[in-house]
Amino acid sequence: MAFPNPLRNAITSGTFCYVVELVASRLTREAKLLQVASDLAQVPGVVAGSITSYAGGATGHDPIRVGTAARARGLTPNIHLTCVNRDLLDLRNALEDLSALGIENIFAITGDYPKGAKDAGPPLFAMDAVQLVELISELRAGGLPFFCSVAVSPFKYTEPDCNYQYLKLEKKIKAGADFAITQLGFDSKKFRELKRYLDERNLKTPVLGNVYVLHAKAAEKMSKGEPPGCWVSKDLMERIQEETKASTDKGLAARLERAARMVAIVRGLGYGGAYLGGDHQADRIRWMIKRSEELAPRWEELAEELEYAPKGGYYLFESPKAPKKQELMPRVLDALGSMFPVKKGGGLHDFLATIFGWVDKRPGAAHALERAELMMKKSVFGCEACGNCVLGEMEYTCPMTCPKKLRNGPCGGTFNGQCEVIPDRPCIWVGVYERAKSAGHLEDLRMYIPPRNRSLQGTSSFINLFLHRDSRPGNYQPLVSISNVVLPAQRTAAAAAKADVTSDASLVKVEGGRK
């Protein structure tokens, strides 16, 4: 059965639209979430409810189950699909389930690092958001009609963080993203910067601006970078605290007005819509939409008032570029690579392939080579013997040293160049960016790096390179075989049983008898 998709229709037609985020937290009963969905379905302009997964790093309700039930109540779902603790097969199965259930809209994100993971052991990040979009695109080629959104965070105030977010967005667009959604921020200059970047690069991908109804407690947390990727300036936090104390409604009217003004701003800038969070009461959403329309003629004036940013923050088109940092080792390795271009074929490549083929047939020799390789690379690069070495494509920074093992750029959780997971450590992608900049290689950072072949863990990357077993640029293997794509009609019954939301009886089961 085909279901209407007002989100796709609005985005592709250029109609300004609204998507409301529904946080499927364990703290909220599913029955309440679905009542919210029913109410939002009645608000003109709201084309979808975005159902979260691993929001802030905490597990919640199954977004597929909640999304399917929300659709039954009239609200088209946009399902957040994260890479947290999922391998390629898990992600493919989830996508095929969604297609079988008639759900097209996917928000493809890497996902926040799970809370408590340090005690439970490191979580699995077998893929990143760019690779997930590539997987979705390959499944679309096989007949599954997904409509894919991705995240971008313009609210980054150091040069590496900011520029890499835009580079990574380009990777996502090239992989097949249909539209983007910004991370949370309250700086109209950054909204303007992102739009200008896309225009100057002649990228026509629509973007929804994130508009958050910010209350005092959330402002205080976000001023510290919590949840990851969300940031609020000290000035804005203090203003919201004052509004909360000074009014009988605890600042409600002020924050709704601010959100309505943000909607007017992103609309005036030419965004494709607004992504509304922080409040999903239908009457307030309806008020914000109407108020934003009243304010629309004043959007440029309002934009000048809404510029909450850190002092000295970086802006792509305004800030002076930091001087290049010269590093000797990457340039020496580049020189050696140009002298011995073994990845491009030729006599030397064929000779070494013969040698490594001989070693590969002798398990003892292959194991000894892998141990020697690890010993050499671990102390210098932090190697973890993944068997799919991409040091040359990442300015000699090992992706396995990233807590999320990302291969296509930083996540949105960086905070002033520091790692989301280990805040006292610089994000590894800062080093990648600075090395690429010093060598004039910034354009190379747009290169797509496929997910590693995890079956090669603990084997020699030299052998895998020359015998063409590894997964890397230049030796890319499709994530799915098109002939093996499971079409919706083949999977519908199993997916419906898994979703378990075909009637209100399922809510009784989920909620222990409470409605």
Side-chain angles (χ1 to χ4, degrees):
M1 175 182 177
F3 293 90
N5 190 351
L7 174 58
R8 181 196 290 267
N9 295 341
I11 294 293
T12 55
S13 68
T15 303
F16 192 86
C17 61
Y18 301 88
V19 175
V20 181
E21 183 174 82
L22 299 184
V23 180
S25 164
R26 287 290 180 190
L27 300 177
T28 306
R29 295 188 304 119
E30 283 194 26
K32 182 178 179 180
L33 286 171
L34 300 182
Q35 182 58 55
V36 168
S38 297
D39 296 340
L40 289 174
Q42 307 305 313
V43 179
V46 173
V47 296
S50 209
I51 316 298
T52 64
S53 174
Y54 265 100
T59 56
H61 298 299
D62 179 2
I64 297 180
R65 185 174 66 244
V66 174
T68 308
R71 184 184 60 194
R73 286 151 180 81
L75 185 67
T76 298
N78 182 42
I79 303 296
H80 294 216
L81 185 61
T82 77
C83 300
V84 182
N85 286 323
R86 294 178 183 266
D87 60 16
L88 171 60
L89 181 59
D90 291 331
L91 288 165
R92 176 173 173 170
N93 285 341
L95 287 163
E96 289 178 343
D97 284 345
L98 285 163
S99 182
L101 291 164
I103 295 177
E104 297 179 353
N105 303 317
I106 309 295
F107 190 16
I109 50 181
T110 300
D112 295 330
Y113 201 85
K115 292 181 177 178
K118 294 176 183 177
D119 299 326
L124 174 66
F125 283 90
M127 298 178 70
D128 61 34
V130 182
Q131 296 158 350
L132 177 54
V133 177
E134 179 69 25
L135 171 62
I136 291 169
S137 293
E138 292 183 20
L139 289 171
R140 279 196 294 209
L144 305 189
F146 292 119
F147 194 61
C148 178
S149 55
V150 295
V152 60
S153 185
F155 306 102
K156 300 296 183 183
Y157 294 96
T158 66
E159 181 183 334
D161 277 359
C162 174
N163 290 9
Y164 228 132
Q165 280 292 317
Y166 297 153
L167 289 168
K168 191 172 182 181
L169 175 60
E170 288 201 51
K171 288 191 180 188
K172 294 173 181 178
I173 293 171
K174 188 174 181 180
D178 294 295
F179 69 102
I181 300 170
T182 72
Q183 183 53 281
L184 188 154
F186 295 83
D187 184 357
S188 64
K189 287 177 66 177
K190 281 291 185 179
F191 279 117
R192 191 187 299 271
E193 176 185 274
L194 171 58
K195 189 66 171 62
R196 178 178 171 184
Y197 179 89
L198 292 171
D199 289 345
E200 292 196 0
R201 300 286 298 180
N202 198 31
L203 297 169
K204 306 300 183 183
T205 305
V207 182
L208 302 189
N210 196 316
V211 175
Y212 195 86
V213 182
L214 186 64
H215 56 79
K217 288 185 179 179
E220 185 176 358
K221 288 185 64 178
M222 291 177 188
S223 70
K224 302 172 185 176
E226 303 172 9
C230 300
W231 183 83
V232 169
S233 72
K234 182 180 178 182
D235 290 345
L236 179 56
M237 178 190 71
E238 291 174 349
R239 179 170 180 175
I240 290 172
Q241 289 173 338
E242 290 173 3
E243 292 169 350
T244 302
K245 293 176 183 177
S247 59
T248 56
D249 66 355
K250 297 183 179 180
L252 175 61
R255 58 180 177 264
L256 290 176
E257 173 71 13
R258 183 176 297 109
R261 292 183 175 204
M262 289 182 67
V263 173
I265 291 167
V266 298
R267 187 169 194 159
L269 285 169
Y271 278 63
Y275 183 87
L276 306 177
D279 196 318
H280 42 54
Q281 290 192 31
D283 58 339
R284 295 176 184 172
I285 298 295
R286 191 178 283 106
W287 183 90
M288 282 190 289
I289 293 174
K290 182 178 179 181
R291 177 61 175 156
S292 72
E293 292 170 350
E294 295 170 352
L295 293 167
R298 297 173 49 205
W299 76 266
E300 291 184 276
E301 169 196 339
L302 300 174
E304 292 181 3
E305 299 173 1
L306 207 143
E307 294 180 0
Y308 291 97
K311 292 180 174 60
Y314 174 83
Y315 289 88
L316 177 62
F317 300 107
E318 300 176 16
S319 301
K321 303 297 185 288
K324 297 178 180 180
K325 295 182 179 180
Q326 300 299 329
E327 295 188 49
L328 179 60
M329 186 184 69
R331 305 293 69 85
V332 170
L333 294 172
D334 275 346
L336 289 173
S338 62
M339 292 170 61
F340 303 99
V342 294
K343 291 186 178 180
K344 298 182 180 180
L348 179 58
H349 175 279
D350 295 343
F351 171 73
L352 292 173
T354 301
I355 296 296
F356 285 117
W358 181 89
V359 173
D360 183 55
K361 294 176 182 177
R362 291 155 178 81
H367 179 70
L369 175 61
E370 186 275 326
R371 293 291 91 187
E373 179 185 342
L374 179 63
M375 185 181 301
M376 176 182 66
K377 291 162 62 177
K378 186 174 182 63
S379 59
V380 179
F381 304 110
C383 175
E384 294 185 11
C386 76
N388 300 258
C389 191
V390 289
L391 283 171
E393 289 80 10
M394 285 185 52
E395 294 296 319
Y396 307 101
T397 298
C398 178
M400 301 302 285
T401 59
C402 167
K404 293 183 180 180
K405 317 299 183 191
L406 304 184
R407 296 189 168 220
N408 283 287
C411 65
T414 57
F415 189 61
N416 290 331
Q418 301 300 109
C419 175
E420 168 195 326
V421 183
I422 310 172
D424 59 352
R425 191 180 85 175
C427 171
I428 70 163
W429 294 95
V430 172
V432 175
Y433 178 87
E434 290 179 343
R435 288 178 175 183
K437 179 181 175 181
S438 70
H441 293 169
L442 286 177
E443 285 298 311
D444 294 344
L445 299 184
R446 291 187 171 85
M447 179 189 302
Y448 170 70
I449 301 179
R452 66 189 178 100
N453 181 343
R454 294 173 62 234
S455 69
L456 298 179
Q457 180 71 40
T459 63
S460 169
S461 66
F462 294 142
I463 292 176
N464 298 331
L465 168 66
F466 285 99
L467 300 188
H468 303 288
R469 291 174 179 165
D470 59 353
S471 179
R472 55 178 166 78
N475 193 45
Y476 174 66
Q477 300 172 359
L479 299 172
V480 297
S481 169
I482 298 302
S483 62
N484 291 330
V485 172
V486 180
L487 295 174
Q490 300 170 283
R491 199 177 179 96
T492 301
K498 186 174 181 179
D500 193 24
V501 289
T502 54
S503 72
D504 282 343
S506 66
L507 298 179
V508 176
K509 175 183 176 183
V510 171
E511 297 300 333
R514 294 175 295 163
K515 281 195 177 181

